């Protein structure tokens, strides 16, 4: 989707402008999501640099989605802009004024800017507080609570990425996010067939289907 200059100017002037909705766009008639083209990344980098941490949260979210969907050639072409946007997203992780749910936004943006395909999207389960998936053995439908508190989930960090995200949350004092991550990347035993599996593997598997 190409965006006209008038829309870009209105968005750059105000982080709350309705123009941002036009830039994000929406589902096309065939149900696909019509994203801005990677060529918008330089503009996003310039715009983000003029906004405060709080103002740039949604802008960085868009940048992460665009960068995640970009092909290798585009990522190489706009490598400098992606690096600038990633640095701004990392800066957002240090904002003590953000609440825990807002903290997940910069984490997702960083992953998207890195080109990570799964958790730049699926990390939203932390904010949703639950994960819906199937048992890999018996295919029972399961709804798992990821919020801190009593749980049948065995906490864990099943990948290097999980360890990194957890360390970011701990360093920033985001106990809620840190604990929820140990559940999303933990293990669970299906109550129907008693099979134990990594939750994150099943979340990623469901996305691939």
């Amino acid at each position: 989707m190409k965006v006209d200059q008038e829309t870009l100017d209105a968005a750059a002037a105000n982080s709350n402008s309705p123009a941002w909705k036009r830039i994000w766009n929406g589902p096309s008639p065939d149900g696909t999501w019509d994203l801005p083209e990677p060529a918008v990344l330089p503009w996003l980098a310039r715009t983000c640099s003029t906004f405060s941490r709080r103002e740039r949260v949604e802008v960085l979210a868009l940048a992460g989605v665009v960068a995640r969907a970009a092909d290798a050639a585009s990522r190489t072409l706009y490598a400098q802009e992606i690096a600038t946007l990633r640095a701004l997203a990392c800066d957002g992780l240090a904002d003590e004024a953000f609440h825990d749910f807002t903290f997940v936004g910069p984490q997702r943006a960083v992953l998207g800017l890195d080109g990570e395909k799964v958790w730049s999207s699926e990390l939203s389960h932390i904010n949703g507080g639950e994960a819906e998936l199937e048992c890999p053995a018996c295919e029972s439908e399961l709804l798992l609570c990821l919020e801190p508190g009593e749980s049948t989930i065995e906490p864990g960090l099943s990948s290097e990425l999980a360890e990194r995200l957890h360390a970011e949350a701990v360093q920033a004092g985001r106990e809620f996010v840190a604990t929820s991550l140990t559940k999303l990347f933990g293990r669970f035993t299906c109550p129907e067939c008693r099979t134990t599996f990594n939750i994150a593997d099943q979340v990623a598997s469901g996305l691939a289907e």
Side-chain angles (χ1 to χ4, degrees):
M1 179 194 73
K2 293 184 178 179
V3 185
D4 62 88
Q5 190 61 47
E6 182 179 357
T7 297
L8 293 177
D9 290 344
N14 184 353
S15 64
N16 292 317
S17 170
W20 284 108
K21 290 184 178 179
R22 297 196 294 274
I23 295 172
W24 269 101
N25 204 14
S28 62
D30 65 359
T32 60
W33 197 266
D34 192 13
L35 285 171
E37 297 175 1
V40 79
L41 287 168
W43 175 82
L44 285 172
R46 292 193 301 271
T47 301
C48 272
S49 297
T50 68
F51 285 169
S52 68
R53 280 175 172 170
R54 188 63 57 90
E55 291 173 329
R56 68 173 70 123
V57 170
E58 290 301 319
V59 186
L60 287 168
L62 173 59
V65 173
V66 173
R68 180 182 69 203
D71 59 23
S74 294
R75 289 188 60 83
T76 299
L77 179 62
Y78 300 115
Q80 183 175 345
E81 288 80 8
I82 289 174
T84 296
L85 288 160
R86 189 185 190 281
L88 292 171
C90 288
D91 179 65
L93 297 175
D95 194 331
E96 296 180 357
F98 285 167
H99 53 67
D100 286 339
F101 288 163
T102 308
F103 178 80
V104 175
Q107 284 193 308
R108 292 178 61 193
V110 169
L111 292 174
L113 290 160
D114 285 344
E116 200 282 332
K117 303 295 186 183
V118 176
W119 296 107
S120 55
S121 170
E122 296 303 293
L123 206 63
S124 61
H125 287 296
I126 298 297
N127 285 355
E130 59 188 22
E132 186 174 358
L133 43 82
E134 287 186 353
C135 170
C138 68
E139 299 185 347
S140 294
E141 294 185 357
L142 305 168
L143 183 62
L144 308 183
C145 177
L146 304 176
E147 296 181 352
E150 291 296 324
S151 174
T152 53
I153 294 175
E154 178 187 342
L157 295 169
S158 57
S159 67
E160 289 185 6
L161 177 60
E163 292 175 355
R164 181 187 113 190
L165 295 171
H166 183 263
E168 290 174 350
V170 171
Q171 183 175 0
R174 306 294 176 177
E175 183 177 350
F176 178 95
V177 176
T179 301
S180 296
L181 284 166
T182 66
K183 293 189 174 184
L184 181 58
F185 290 92
R187 292 168 62 80
F188 182 76
T189 300
C190 175
E192 297 296 327
C193 69
R194 308 309 299 172
T195 297
T196 299
F197 58 88
N198 288 331
I199 295 170
D201 289 347
Q202 282 308 106
V203 170
S205 174
L207 186 66
E209 293 176 357

